[in-house]
Amino acid sequence: MSQTDMTIFEKLESEVRSYVRSFPTVFTKAKGYKMWDQKGTEYLDFFSGAGALNYGHNDPMMKAKLVDYILSDGITHSLDMATAPKAEFLTKFNEVILKPRNLEYKVMFPGPTGTNTVESALKLARKVTGRTDIISFTNGFHGMTIGALSVTGNAFKRKGAGIPLQNVVTMPYDSFVNDNLDTLEYLERFLEDGGSGVDIPAAMILETVQGEGGINAASFEWLQRVEQICKRWGILLIVDDVQAGVGRTGTFFSFEKAGIKPDIVCMSKSIGGYGLPLAITLIRLDLDIWEPGEHNGTFRGNNHAFVTAAAALSYWEDPKFEKSIEEKSEKIFNFLEGIVAKYPELQGEARGRGFMVGISTEIEGLAASIAEEAFQRGLIMETSGPKDEVFKLFPPLVIDNEGLEQGFKIIEDSVKAVLGAKELVIS
Amino acid sequence: MSQTDMTIFEKLESEVRSYVRSFPTVFTKAKGYKMWDQKGTEYLDFFSGAGALNYGHNDPMMKAKLVDYILSDGITHSLDMATAPKAEFLTKFNEVILKPRNLEYKVMFPGPTGTNTVESALKLARKVTGRTDIISFTNGFHGMTIGALSVTGNAFKRKGAGIPLQNVVTMPYDSFVNDNLDTLEYLERFLEDGGSGVDIPAAMILETVQGEGGINAASFEWLQRVEQICKRWGILLIVDDVQAGVGRTGTFFSFEKAGIKPDIVCMSKSIGGYGLPLAITLIRLDLDIWEPGEHNGTFRGNNHAFVTAAAALSYWEDPKFEKSIEEKSEKIFNFLEGIVAKYPELQGEARGRGFMVGISTEIEGLAASIAEEAFQRGLIMETSGPKDEVFKLFPPLVIDNEGLEQGFKIIEDSVKAVLGAKELVIS
Amino acid sequence: MSQTDMTIFEKLESEVRSYVRSFPTVFTKAKGYKMWDQKGTEYLDFFSGAGALNYGHNDPMMKAKLVDYILSDGITHSLDMATAPKAEFLTKFNEVILKPRNLEYKVMFPGPTGTNTVESALKLARKVTGRTDIISFTNGFHGMTIGALSVTGNAFKRKGAGIPLQNVVTMPYDSFVNDNLDTLEYLERFLEDGGSGVDIPAAMILETVQGEGGINAASFEWLQRVEQICKRWGILLIVDDVQAGVGRTGTFFSFEKAGIKPDIVCMSKSIGGYGLPLAITLIRLDLDIWEPGEHNGTFRGNNHAFVTAAAALSYWEDPKFEKSIEEKSEKIFNFLEGIVAKYPELQGEARGRGFMVGISTEIEGLAASIAEEAFQRGLIMETSGPKDEVFKLFPPLVIDNEGLEQGFKIIEDSVKAVLGAKELVIS
Amino acid sequence: MSQTDMTIFEKLESEVRSYVRSFPTVFTKAKGYKMWDQKGTEYLDFFSGAGALNYGHNDPMMKAKLVDYILSDGITHSLDMATAPKAEFLTKFNEVILKPRNLEYKVMFPGPTGTNTVESALKLARKVTGRTDIISFTNGFHGMTIGALSVTGNAFKRKGAGIPLQNVVTMPYDSFVNDNLDTLEYLERFLEDGGSGVDIPAAMILETVQGEGGINAASFEWLQRVEQICKRWGILLIVDDVQAGVGRTGTFFSFEKAGIKPDIVCMSKSIGGYGLPLAITLIRLDLDIWEPGEHNGTFRGNNHAFVTAAAALSYWEDPKFEKSIEEKSEKIFNFLEGIVAKYPELQGEARGRGFMVGISTEIEGLAASIAEEAFQRGLIMETSGPKDEVFKLFPPLVIDNEGLEQGFKIIEDSVKAVLGAKELVIS
């Protein structure tokens, strides 16, 4: 294949493109935790498609099933008609994921993106309760369509709406103000005081670990209290597990260890397994009061994704998988804490849970410089947070020790290089 | 493979599912204009995934390219990083589609569904103009997320929002009131009168043929006048070509024959060629003022779809393709007019343009009965319009004469059967 | 009293002041249809406080009652406690106004301004129906607070809100587009088509003659059809009689001759009789489902206004009053038609009903010049319409023939002078 | 005069009436701090028209000027034309109030009610800043029209809107959560964090003492910090002094002792002096960017109120007036603290500042019972707070010692009686 000219994107693609600016090369091939560009340069992927590639790139087992399916002329696009791969996914999801966790949900297939599942969840919560407001949390990120954007905190993204965003009240996430302020005491005062200006909402929506908002992990106790408050006031609890779900924080659902049972769960990204577009909305049985077709979408029957999604669930049949995530998570967090301790100039703080972690630093621009340096050295990772103050480690869950060690080395080298260069400038 | 139990969907899938209720069988295989269920029953597809399968199911040429790509571990999921298949799609879209039509647009990749491209278009129009309102048209359908739903006419879908839908003014589509009322004279009065309560909007959004709204085709003159009005008042014109585009009305873009040049074009459904999720937003060069990342989405880099989308464009390299659509369109419309003439009890009217046509009948429930009968006889088609008053012929563009004739026969037989049964009831 | 320096207002009052710019003198005294400034210059009042002084200035009978009341230390401010003057007003309003017209309404006292009664009406309509939208009409004017402003057409006033105005759909008033377009056929299409994007609203709100919007008088037939449409679809009909009520169009309520019975009526301006702040909302008996205090306001118990309002109702006990309005109305309209005929350069059109009339002219700035010239010659009148294209005759209903004749002369002289000066400029 | 039948109100007035239910008698006469009903029963007024009668009823000096003005046929209703009484009010307000306090404001006359001045302030703040959001505070009360209601906390009142209230964010007032939580640290975190979901607002609006919200007095330090935060972030500070202004808290403006200078001040209620409808909006000189007529209202030129408002300002020419308020305030607060100490069963807390005070008690229904008992014993006072948990002492500022002592006695007797009866029930 001839080489692709990078200027094609400048000439033909909208200015809205963004990651191509941070990682300016033409990617062609990928496998597991590795990516290659057209020049053959190899990159370690510590980004995982922002959480869409928890099983790594082009998993061989899923690949085989997908190719078989395509070769057999299996139906590709089916809207919400019944198909064999859909039935298989539904059955396996119920058997492998829901039942063992003692969960009962109906599965809805909205359009195959994270923002679509969030929109479906908000609609349903309003329909069920007859209320209009939603409580969201500071630095929450839920998507870019108007409904989902309304519950998203980021000012830059919000401004993009071009209209005032409505029907939402933002409450402080765990530790938002400082570590001493009990944000839930605050929240509940608003609910209990009839003069607070905050009406009882249809739902609260939250991520248990905020991916885009700066790798903020809510404590399990905080999550439990949110659930209690929701129950006390008849508010539905929506967990947006689009990024934190599918093992990213260590368990299939990010809320398992907190012991809570959300009323609605939003999933996308890695649910498809292979990086193919898919989204599902899990609905508590008695809340499934949708009329047929009340929320729909053309690509809600993406059978290629059903095939790989069903295949991916096999990983969860063996308890070793979850255990291996836990072990590697510990290793990663130790590495991060080591970096923070070893490089005090970084003024860093290790954050997050499981494979959803990073280091925040208050030094302006530092996190971005480190990520840039890492890319030069062959590792892809991104920054996060309202001021891009966190560099974010998001390797695939299936990464092996060798990959981790390689990545750690590049990251530490990058930290050193950037801090060194900084010192040179200062001194 | 063992047989799939249909009750799985009732047990595990949300009540929101809808087409599975009209076409209650488990589909497994598809090719061109044919589909098969698990029992081996063959169906003619006169529905085409609501316009997502204009090239038919599992086109062999696209299939080959897709399988090759997968087998070579081509990168699957890339967000908006640069990849070879994306570059190829961009280049080919520019060469094969835009240049020959004397059009210049930047291509934006929003999340891969129709509603996402519409949301991106509305945001951009508001950003460019600094205004908040959008003019939409009666019986327009643009999607299910809150922004897109705001410009959608259907009351049932709108109610699903659970909140008042804002920042939109609905104006009458061509021939909405009756054939004599000039709906644009009306619209322009609202714009020119400073006391009309209608502010100059950021944009107007419309479909040139309304697919969900009842197969209403705007005249070319009406479209030209809309364009003039937009220019006169500095309003952006957004054409939603999600359903009517990619040849469905006879030309690649549905607005070509009207000779207009929209400021923004929304595409999805068949743009991916193979039924894989993809959406693009075409933006007039000088309007592309997005900040990097101002609107994004996890699955905007669906490389499988880039591969098939680029392959699909080959169809348009040969002018015979467009010509063949035209010839078959004529045949289809003649068939519809014949039915209307031959069965006056139908009180029918043939509607639409190209491969986006149907027969409307004011007799309540009749269109649905005919579609149901057709399914019994092995043909899949759906109904459309605010009262489901239209049965809609949407075969793939690549259907051959044999397929058309078979389909026509089933449809006519279904009309006869339903009218006959009706007569029995009446007499 | 020493002379007042006009610069006081420039120095101390906000730039928002407006009429003082058109009529730049310091008024001190007023009686009937006459006003005097501090220099003793006499003016004929053909403006009547924009309809708040239908009984003229400082009516002697009301004045006597008011002074008596004050001198006796009658309670002035009573919120919504029971007082003797309030009881008297309620009783007399029922006896003199409602009963003879075969109307039954509960009376609500919102804050004492037009915009407050409109806000109360909209709230109640939404509460009763559980719906959110209101249909208003082009060039309607209903007030300046956000709820009332939402249903007001004027773009300049709307822009002042600083936020998008919501929950309203503007429909074309009688003859808005042209004399041939049946605006109600149009409106009803929107209601009956489930895909129109217009939901069934809580209410329609309209003025039978639009005062601020350009002296547009709806035909009685149009009003009757609006009432029928409202009944057919279960929509409440709110007539805003703030400006057109209390005899301004010839009868006490402006809608009497149309034979319709609105569900809610908004009144203010002349209802207090003496120019004192008062507003009432009339509510069909079965719609009065307010909770106590659900809508309130500090000055809803303005007893001075109750005293004069009750006194003013005496005018309506004698049928001669209504008759005299009719006779004078005819004289006024004849005068206007005479002017239009006699001065074709004016390109004028006589408009309106009763004492709510004017001449519109498409010549830019002409109406304002004539009003300005009239002020120089000792007559006060204002302009109206989205482009100030109408000069508006609004004398008090109690004006005598001598006053009318004087006014006519000044107006004709002003027309002549302005047209003459214009001609000079042109030639 | 014949006796008024109380059933008139039930028959003819809307169910929305409320105070008449708490004080069910027909009032006829009032003077200073006393009111009489038609039976001649005398009542002490510890309510003062919810703050509209700070100078008591029917002040003789104002009354004389008002009657003189009326008898001389002084112009009553003048919209915003120049009149002598308006000039006098403007001049005197500037000389007696603004200059000595080193304040410079332009005066705007909106419609003559509190909600109208608030609406004008919000509009102007949005116009000046180009932003849409307003920060309001828990238990704030600002009026009943949609704009003002949006920034009002009370759930019952908000629900009355019938539509979602938008473009507002409610922040915790001083001591809202508990005495330890620093509500401003909390608020500022939201402003400084770009991911907080709270955009920089156009303005903050607050009462320095919340009248309807439960007699919550913000500390001066809190107010100063609010002002600093507003300055830091370029947010306009609006003080709603409708109820707390005109001496109610001890100084003319309620914010004087805090040493802050709001950008916009809303006044109504007692600004008219005599209980006549009037409202003003004070605007920092450089913010007065209104277009002429951009916000208007029929009764913004209520000359009777200008006459009494100007007369009322004379009180403030003598420093003894302010001093006397202070002395009496102390007496009142001592009385309240005495009650709280003496009757621990009350579980009371004395609250407020100046003549804007009360006792809150968590015992459900107790405050209302005490107010009811007081009415039986000839004293009028109301309750306040989201659960009506406060009984509120609001005597006129001009009350003498005798009046205070009488009032205290009735209140203490009422407390005793209610507590006694309660005990009987319990034991």
Side-chain angles (χ1 to χ4, degrees), chain D residues 264-285:
Chain D
I264 303 178
V265 183
C266 298
M267 308 199 82
S268 182
K269 293 202 188 262
S270 278
I271 193 69
Y274 203 75
L276 299 177
L278 188 63
I280 59 175
T281 311
L282 305 181
I283 302 169
R284 211 181 72 196
L285 303 190

Side-chain angles (χ1 to χ4, degrees), chain D residues 33-309:
Chain D
Y33 59 85
K34 293 186 182 165
M35 296 166 73
W36 293 270
D37 69 10
Q38 61 183 357
K39 289 170 238 145
T41 315
E42 183 179 297
Y43 295 89
L44 299 186
D45 185 0
F46 270 49
F47 180 19
S48 300
L53 294 163
N54 287 357
Y55 306 101
H57 293 268
N58 299 337
D59 176 88
M61 181 258 293
M62 301 182 210
K63 172 171 145 184
K65 298 217 168 185
L66 176 59
V67 169
D68 274 3
Y69 186 75
I70 297 173
L71 289 175
S72 75
D73 282 327
I75 188 165
T76 298
H77 177 283
S78 63
L79 288 154
D80 63 0
M81 292 186 266
T83 68
K86 186 176 175 178
E88 198 193 340
F89 170 72
L90 281 169
T91 307
K92 206 161 165 188
F93 188 76
N94 197 44
E95 294 301 323
V96 177
I97 303 298
L98 295 181
K99 277 197 190 161
R101 285 161 183 81
N102 203 21
L103 293 168
E104 285 190 305
Y105 289 116
K106 286 288 205 76
V107 178
M108 170 185 183
F109 297 94
T113 79
T115 200
N116 295 47
T117 168
V118 168
E119 294 259 352
S120 71
L122 300 181
K123 275 188 187 178
L124 184 60
R126 284 166 170 148
K127 181 181 170 78
V128 165
T129 61
R131 302 180 204 133
T132 53
D133 277 5
I134 305 288
I135 283 184
S136 63
F137 290 89
T138 51
N139 285 303
F141 180 89
H142 302 286
M144 298 301 284
T145 51
I146 293 300
L149 192 54
S150 298
V151 291
T152 290
N154 189 281
F156 166 61
K157 304 283 188 193
R158 289 175 73 82
K159 195 151 172 279
I163 47 171
L165 296 170
Q166 313 284 20
N167 301 299
V168 63
V169 175
T170 317
M171 285 287 164
Y173 196 71
D174 196 9
S175 300
F176 173 65
V177 182
N178 56 51
D179 287 344
N180 300 321
L181 190 144
D182 180 346
T183 58
L184 292 178
E185 184 188 2
Y186 174 86
L187 186 161
E188 199 159 14
R189 267 300 283 138
F190 271 89
L191 298 180
E192 81 195 359
D193 190 310
S196 72
V198 172
D199 304 322
I200 302 300
M204 296 194 196
I205 186 166
L206 60 83
E207 304 143 284
T208 65
V209 182
Q210 297 182 319
E212 301 303 305
I215 311 294
N216 311 304
S219 74
F220 295 143
E221 190 225 337
W222 190 87
L223 294 170
Q224 288 152 9
R225 284 177 58 207
V226 168
E227 185 184 51
Q228 286 156 17
I229 291 171
C230 283
K231 282 201 177 124
R232 180 170 168 207
W233 296 97
I235 299 164
L236 299 183
L237 175 57
I238 303 171
V239 169
D240 177 342
D241 240 8
V242 167
Q243 184 161 141
V246 193
R248 180 52 59 185
T249 69
T251 49
F252 186 83
F253 295 111
S254 74
F255 52 79
E256 291 177 34
K257 285 198 178 154
I260 62 172
K261 294 195 177 181
D263 300 296
I264 303 178
V265 183
C266 298
M267 308 199 82
S268 182
K269 293 202 188 262
S270 278
I271 193 69
Y274 203 75
L276 299 177
L278 188 63
I280 59 175
T281 311
L282 305 181
I283 302 169
R284 211 181 72 196
L285 303 190
D286 59 308
L287 303 180
D288 183 30
I289 61 166
W290 286 113
E291 296 290 318
E294 197 171 359
H295 183 94
N296 58 23
T298 295
F299 293 118
R300 65 197 187 278
N302 181 9
N303 285 272
H304 290 193
F306 293 151
V307 168
T308 55

Side-chain angles (χ1 to χ4, degrees), chain A residues 375-389:
Chain A
F375 177 67
Q376 298 302 331
R377 294 165 183 264
L379 180 139
I380 291 177
M381 68 177 181
E382 73 162 339
T383 58
S384 158
K387 298 177 200 156
D388 282 325
E389 74 274 18

